[in-house]
Amino acid sequence: DTGVSQDPRHKITKRGQNVTFRCDPISEHNRLYWYRQTLGQGPEFLTYFQNEAQLEKSRLLSDRFSAERPKGSFSTLEIQRTEQGDSAMYLCASGPRNPKGSGYEQYFGPGTRLTVT
Amino acid sequence: GENVEQHPSTLSVQEGDSAVIKCTYSDSASNYFPWYKQELGKGPQLIIDIRSNVGEKKDQRIAVTLNKTAKHFSLHITETQPEDSAVYFCARGTSGTYKYIFGTGTRLKVLA
């Protein structure tokens, strides 16, 4: 399978704990995005990387959230001191370096469902 | 505003009938409009997209139309099948930022 992969698929944690999620984009995709999706809503943009550079962060990304993409390949999203309001599906997407058309395509992974108890 | 409005929120059609989902936006800088299908427990799957220099695009049973003047775009699914049942999301993108702003989704149910 050459699609976007995410690990873990499910995470249950207690309030106050730290969690880290990993995303492996489609090979050679230089754009990588993180979104958050709550039940019954569309995905909300969190942050965007082009290669290893983090170029944009949403106001949703509080100082408890940090994302990295150290070598321009996989990315991690860490949430510190989790709160119940952090419970959501965290989605990763990637986009191609030499895209067809306008180059805005994003391909999503299966997501990591976080439950904070 | 930044949001994308999507209607209807739920849609039930008989197998073989057509389904239409509409989205409106207000940011005139938007120039890319993808549609995603999301099945339960899965990530969104890109099914079709349209750029602002095109008014209509078709791919087998799926088509998308864009009216830039009115700032709305629509997804049309013809000859619906039970496997089309899912939640569909529209989104808009703008060159430079690349991030998507998503609609709130439409739950489509195709009745056999």
Side-chain angles (χ1 to χ4, degrees), chain B residues 2-69:
Chain B
E2 191 175 70
N3 292 342
V4 178
E5 293 190 7
Q6 183 171 348
H7 299 282
S9 57
T10 60
L11 179 60
S12 292
V13 299
Q14 291 291 328
E15 181 178 1
D17 287 350
S18 295
V20 180
I21 303 170
K22 299 182 179 179
C23 290
T24 59
Y25 64 98
S26 56
D27 184 353
S28 57
S30 301
N31 56 0
Y32 177 70
F33 306 91
W35 285 89
Y36 285 84
K37 174 183 181 183
Q38 188 172 28
E39 296 174 301
L40 194 63
K42 297 184 178 180
Q45 175 192 2
L46 179 65
I47 57 172
I48 195 166
D49 58 9
I50 192 167
R51 282 119 182 131
S52 58
N53 59 347
V54 175
E56 183 173 357
K57 182 177 178 181
K58 188 174 181 180
D59 183 3
Q60 299 183 335
R61 298 186 297 109
I62 295 173
V64 57
T65 58
L66 171 65
N67 184 326
K68 278 190 65 180
T69 303

Side-chain angles (χ1 to χ4, degrees), chain A residues 25-68:
Chain A
I26 294 171
S27 179
E28 297 184 355
H29 277 191
N30 68 332
R31 295 185 285 118
L32 188 146
Y33 307 80
W34 286 97
Y35 290 83
R36 182 174 69 186
Q37 186 177 28
T38 54
L39 203 60
Q41 299 297 314
E44 295 175 294
F45 171 79
L46 292 178
T47 191
Y48 159 60
F49 289 85
Q50 183 167 307
N51 299 312
E52 65 276 8
Q54 188 174 21
L55 297 185
E56 186 169 350
K57 293 195 294 185
S58 164
R59 284 172 291 180
L60 292 174
L61 214 65
S62 76
D63 56 7
R64 296 186 298 106
F65 288 69
S66 62
E68 294 183 342

Side-chain angles (χ1 to χ4, degrees), chain A residues 3-8 21-26 29 31-37 43-44 46-49 67-69 73-77 89-95 106-113, chain B residues 36 38 42-45 102:
Chain A
V4 177
S5 62
Q6 293 187 245
D7 183 70
F21 310 141
R22 177 179 169 123
C23 171
D24 287 90
I26 294 171
H29 277 191
R31 295 185 285 118
L32 188 146
Y33 307 80
W34 286 97
Y35 290 83
R36 182 174 69 186
Q37 186 177 28
E44 295 175 294
L46 292 178
T47 191
Y48 159 60
F49 289 85
E68 294 183 342
R69 195 183 182 196
S73 56
F74 73 91
S75 175
T76 58
L77 177 69
M89 175 80 86
Y90 289 84
L91 293 163
C92 177
S94 69
Q106 294 180 28
Y107 300 93
F108 282 82
T112 294
R113 181 165 295 283
Chain B
Y36 285 84
Q38 188 172 28
K42 297 184 178 180
Q45 175 192 2
F102 281 85

